[in-house]
Amino acid sequence: MSNLTVSLFKDSFDPFVALLDEHKIEYKIREIPLGTFMASADTIEIIQGVVGNAAMWGAIATVVVAFIKALRYER
């Protein structure tokens, strides 16, 4: 069973996770081993059981679109 991995930068983490919570999408914060070089600050995994549900893809798309729109209006 694989999960959908999402890598977020420092200022993106809280707003993105808040949208996942709002849309009741299950996720877990992925622990990154110390000393690992990363281009992002945090990584979360959307749970496979959720990813396997076809209806949930619409919710994930809604989260991504809302997140992008929020970024656009912040600037």
Side-chain angles (χ1 to χ4, degrees), residues 4-75:
L4 177 63
T5 302
V6 180
S7 298
L8 300 162
F9 293 94
K10 59 183 177 183
D11 294 336
S12 303
F13 185 80
D14 289 337
F16 193 83
V17 168
L19 286 168
L20 290 176
D21 290 338
E22 180 181 324
H23 291 276
K24 297 176 178 50
I25 298 174
E26 294 180 49
Y27 63 90
K28 63 181 179 178
I29 298 172
R30 186 173 173 195
E31 297 294 326
I32 305 300
L34 291 175
T36 303
F37 292 102
M38 302 252 328
S40 63
D42 297 297
T43 302
I44 61 172
E45 292 182 10
I46 297 176
I47 308 301
Q48 176 61 28
V50 173
V51 174
N53 181 347
M56 195 51 64
W57 282 106
I60 293 171
T62 300
V63 166
V64 171
V65 168
F67 180 73
I68 291 170
K69 284 182 178 179
L71 288 178
R72 187 175 77 199
Y73 292 121
E74 282 183 7
R75 295 171 190 235

